[in-house]
Amino acid sequence: MKKITRVITRGASDRFSKALSHHGSSATIDLALARLQHNAYMKTLERMGAVVECVPSSAEYPDCCFIEDCALVAGGVALITQPGAPSRRGETTAVKEHLQRLLPTVEMLGSATLDGGDCLITDTHIFVGLSKRTNYEGYLKVKEVFRAKGFEVLSVEVEEHLHLKCVCSYLGDGTVLLAEGTVNPTRLGPHKIVTIPPEETYAANCVAFNGYALIPHGFPKTKESLIQNGFNTFEIDTSEFKKADGSLTCLSLLL
Ligand code: CIR
């Protein structure tokens, strides 16, 4: 099982209702409810055995709670990204300052763009989704930084979804949770694949470590599958984050 001791989150912006969203649904975000849901998220991560730290939110950056997109942490180093959406670029400054106190950091520069949500990190591999947010130069930077740390770094095309991790996440012990009919499992290297049905695709993005799996509320088949695979599960409501195209892993960095 993956051992995680520290998790970094970032609070929801006062302007969260201006966050990017595919269908414009962020305009209906209830900020107070979003903050309650975020608190529930942090409390649950604590129950899963992690110390949870929270970078203060920024009114300047409506999407700042989606901290996963700002850095890639693996092999004892953090790569600070250049998020693909121009409005999100400045989010990385506060995240970098926080991470610099904890581990060595490297910065992505030039024309490379990458959202952490496109990076599926396993014990041996990093799969980088080439998406509207992450370009080939971003993938090459991940390769440069993390091959030196012993990871095999491979690219995967992402066509229909915002990020690679909209359809999969790492459960630990060489196992990937994957929504059926999305990424071809043969692209995910030597990993064991646990599939969930297409109608539960949103729950393919779960946070699993220390023997626990945190999933969004209302996905019974995924829950059952995780229990069958030895996890104790927690569920939380993510309605307000979903309105901004967010899911569970995007709200944290695991150290
Ligand atoms: C965005 O469009 O960038 C945000 N509204 C949602 C980002 C979600 N991040 C993630 O899945 N890693």
Short mmCIF file of all heavy atoms in Angstrom, two decimals, residues 19-21 63 66 68-69 85 88 115-117 133 162-163 166 205 244-247 249-250, ligand 1:
data_model
loop_
_atom_site.label_atom_id
_atom_site.label_comp_id
_atom_site.label_asym_id
_atom_site.label_seq_id
_atom_site.Cartn_x
_atom_site.Cartn_y
_atom_site.Cartn_z
N ALA A 19 -14.25 30.23 -11.57
CA ALA A 19 -13.32 29.18 -12.01
C ALA A 19 -13.67 28.72 -13.42
O ALA A 19 -14.82 28.81 -13.85
CB ALA A 19 -13.39 28.00 -11.04
N LEU A 20 -12.67 28.20 -14.11
CA LEU A 20 -12.89 27.66 -15.46
C LEU A 20 -13.84 26.48 -15.36
O LEU A 20 -13.72 25.66 -14.45
CB LEU A 20 -11.56 27.18 -16.05
CG LEU A 20 -10.47 28.25 -16.22
CD1 LEU A 20 -9.15 27.59 -16.65
CD2 LEU A 20 -10.90 29.29 -17.25
N SER A 21 -14.77 26.40 -16.30
CA SER A 21 -15.61 25.20 -16.33
C SER A 21 -16.16 25.02 -17.74
O SER A 21 -16.53 26.00 -18.39
CB SER A 21 -16.72 25.21 -15.29
OG SER A 21 -17.71 26.12 -15.66
N ASP A 63 -9.25 29.35 -9.61
CA ASP A 63 -9.06 27.89 -9.65
C ASP A 63 -8.01 27.39 -8.66
O ASP A 63 -7.59 26.24 -8.76
CB ASP A 63 -8.63 27.48 -11.07
CG ASP A 63 -9.80 27.45 -12.05
OD1 ASP A 63 -10.66 26.58 -11.89
OD2 ASP A 63 -9.85 28.31 -12.96
N PHE A 66 -7.33 23.85 -6.96
CA PHE A 66 -6.93 22.65 -7.72
C PHE A 66 -5.41 22.55 -7.76
O PHE A 66 -4.76 22.60 -8.81
CB PHE A 66 -7.55 22.69 -9.12
CG PHE A 66 -9.06 22.74 -9.08
CD1 PHE A 66 -9.76 23.80 -9.63
CD2 PHE A 66 -9.78 21.73 -8.44
CE1 PHE A 66 -11.14 23.86 -9.57
CE2 PHE A 66 -11.18 21.78 -8.37
CZ PHE A 66 -11.86 22.84 -8.94
N GLU A 68 -3.27 20.31 -7.39
CA GLU A 68 -2.57 19.21 -8.09
C GLU A 68 -1.94 19.66 -9.40
O GLU A 68 -0.91 19.12 -9.82
CB GLU A 68 -3.59 18.09 -8.40
CG GLU A 68 -3.01 16.96 -9.22
CD GLU A 68 -4.04 15.90 -9.60
OE1 GLU A 68 -5.11 16.24 -10.11
OE2 GLU A 68 -3.77 14.73 -9.35
N ASP A 69 -2.58 20.65 -10.04
CA ASP A 69 -2.09 21.06 -11.36
C ASP A 69 -0.80 21.87 -11.31
O ASP A 69 -0.16 22.08 -12.33
CB ASP A 69 -3.19 21.86 -12.09
CG ASP A 69 -4.40 20.98 -12.37
OD1 ASP A 69 -4.18 19.80 -12.72
OD2 ASP A 69 -5.53 21.45 -12.21
N ALA A 85 -3.69 26.52 -18.68
CA ALA A 85 -4.64 27.62 -18.84
C ALA A 85 -3.95 28.92 -18.41
O ALA A 85 -3.49 29.01 -17.26
CB ALA A 85 -5.88 27.38 -17.97
N ARG A 88 -4.31 30.44 -15.00
CA ARG A 88 -3.88 29.66 -13.84
C ARG A 88 -2.36 29.73 -13.60
O ARG A 88 -1.86 29.20 -12.61
CB ARG A 88 -4.33 28.20 -13.98
CG ARG A 88 -5.85 28.06 -14.08
CD ARG A 88 -6.30 26.66 -13.81
NE ARG A 88 -5.84 26.21 -12.51
CZ ARG A 88 -5.85 24.95 -12.10
NH1 ARG A 88 -6.31 24.01 -12.88
NH2 ARG A 88 -5.39 24.63 -10.90
N ASP A 115 -0.39 20.33 -16.70
CA ASP A 115 -1.24 20.32 -15.50
C ASP A 115 -0.96 19.01 -14.78
O ASP A 115 -0.96 17.93 -15.41
CB ASP A 115 -2.72 20.33 -15.90
CG ASP A 115 -3.23 21.71 -16.30
OD1 ASP A 115 -2.42 22.65 -16.42
OD2 ASP A 115 -4.46 21.84 -16.49
N GLY A 116 -0.77 19.08 -13.48
CA GLY A 116 -0.51 17.85 -12.71
C GLY A 116 -1.61 16.82 -12.88
O GLY A 116 -1.36 15.62 -12.76
N GLY A 117 -2.82 17.27 -13.17
CA GLY A 117 -3.93 16.35 -13.37
C GLY A 117 -3.73 15.43 -14.57
O GLY A 117 -4.44 14.44 -14.72
N ARG A 133 -4.23 20.92 -22.11
CA ARG A 133 -3.46 21.67 -21.11
C ARG A 133 -1.96 21.30 -21.09
O ARG A 133 -1.13 22.09 -20.67
CB ARG A 133 -4.03 21.40 -19.71
CG ARG A 133 -5.48 21.82 -19.53
CD ARG A 133 -5.60 23.33 -19.52
NE ARG A 133 -6.99 23.76 -19.40
CZ ARG A 133 -7.64 23.86 -18.26
NH1 ARG A 133 -7.05 23.56 -17.13
NH2 ARG A 133 -8.89 24.27 -18.25
N LEU A 162 -10.72 16.43 -19.77
CA LEU A 162 -9.84 17.56 -19.44
C LEU A 162 -8.43 17.06 -19.17
O LEU A 162 -7.45 17.61 -19.68
CB LEU A 162 -10.41 18.29 -18.21
CG LEU A 162 -9.59 19.44 -17.65
CD1 LEU A 162 -9.43 20.57 -18.67
CD2 LEU A 162 -10.23 19.99 -16.36
N HIS A 163 -8.32 16.04 -18.33
CA HIS A 163 -7.01 15.52 -17.91
C HIS A 163 -6.99 13.99 -17.94
O HIS A 163 -8.04 13.35 -17.80
CB HIS A 163 -6.73 15.94 -16.45
CG HIS A 163 -6.51 17.39 -16.24
ND1 HIS A 163 -7.16 18.11 -15.26
CD2 HIS A 163 -5.68 18.27 -16.87
CE1 HIS A 163 -6.75 19.37 -15.30
NE2 HIS A 163 -5.85 19.50 -16.26
N CYS A 166 -8.83 12.26 -15.11
CA CYS A 166 -10.30 12.26 -15.07
C CYS A 166 -10.81 10.83 -15.22
O CYS A 166 -11.98 10.56 -14.93
CB CYS A 166 -10.90 13.10 -16.20
SG CYS A 166 -10.57 14.84 -16.03
N ASN A 205 -11.37 8.82 -10.46
CA ASN A 205 -10.42 9.73 -9.83
C ASN A 205 -10.64 9.67 -8.32
O ASN A 205 -11.55 10.28 -7.77
CB ASN A 205 -10.64 11.16 -10.34
CG ASN A 205 -9.66 12.12 -9.71
OD1 ASN A 205 -9.77 12.45 -8.53
ND2 ASN A 205 -8.69 12.56 -10.47
N ALA A 244 -16.78 23.08 -11.30
CA ALA A 244 -15.60 23.70 -11.92
C ALA A 244 -14.71 22.61 -12.54
O ALA A 244 -13.49 22.78 -12.64
CB ALA A 244 -14.83 24.51 -10.90
N ASP A 245 -15.32 21.49 -12.92
CA ASP A 245 -14.60 20.38 -13.56
C ASP A 245 -13.55 19.75 -12.66
O ASP A 245 -12.57 19.16 -13.14
CB ASP A 245 -13.93 20.81 -14.88
CG ASP A 245 -14.91 21.39 -15.87
OD1 ASP A 245 -16.11 21.05 -15.78
OD2 ASP A 245 -14.50 22.19 -16.72
N GLY A 246 -13.72 19.88 -11.37
CA GLY A 246 -12.74 19.33 -10.43
C GLY A 246 -13.20 18.00 -9.85
O GLY A 246 -14.40 17.74 -9.74
N SER A 247 -12.23 17.19 -9.48
CA SER A 247 -12.55 15.95 -8.79
C SER A 247 -11.62 15.83 -7.57
O SER A 247 -11.09 16.84 -7.11
CB SER A 247 -12.49 14.76 -9.74
OG SER A 247 -11.52 14.95 -10.73
N THR A 249 -8.57 14.12 -6.73
CA THR A 249 -7.10 14.24 -6.66
C THR A 249 -6.65 15.67 -6.91
O THR A 249 -5.60 16.10 -6.43
CB THR A 249 -6.36 13.32 -7.66
OG1 THR A 249 -6.65 13.73 -8.99
CG2 THR A 249 -6.72 11.86 -7.45
N CYS A 250 -7.45 16.44 -7.67
CA CYS A 250 -6.99 17.81 -8.01
C CYS A 250 -6.87 18.70 -6.80
O CYS A 250 -6.22 19.74 -6.86
CB CYS A 250 -7.89 18.50 -9.01
SG CYS A 250 -9.39 17.76 -9.42
C1 CIR B 1 -9.54 23.95 -14.69
O1 CIR B 1 -10.26 23.96 -15.70
O2 CIR B 1 -8.33 24.06 -14.76
C2 CIR B 1 -10.20 23.81 -13.35
N1 CIR B 1 -11.46 24.45 -13.36
C3 CIR B 1 -10.34 22.37 -12.97
C4 CIR B 1 -9.03 21.70 -12.73
C5 CIR B 1 -9.17 20.31 -12.24
N2 CIR B 1 -7.88 19.79 -11.97
C6 CIR B 1 -7.58 18.51 -12.01
O3 CIR B 1 -8.40 17.69 -12.37
N3 CIR B 1 -6.33 18.17 -11.72
#
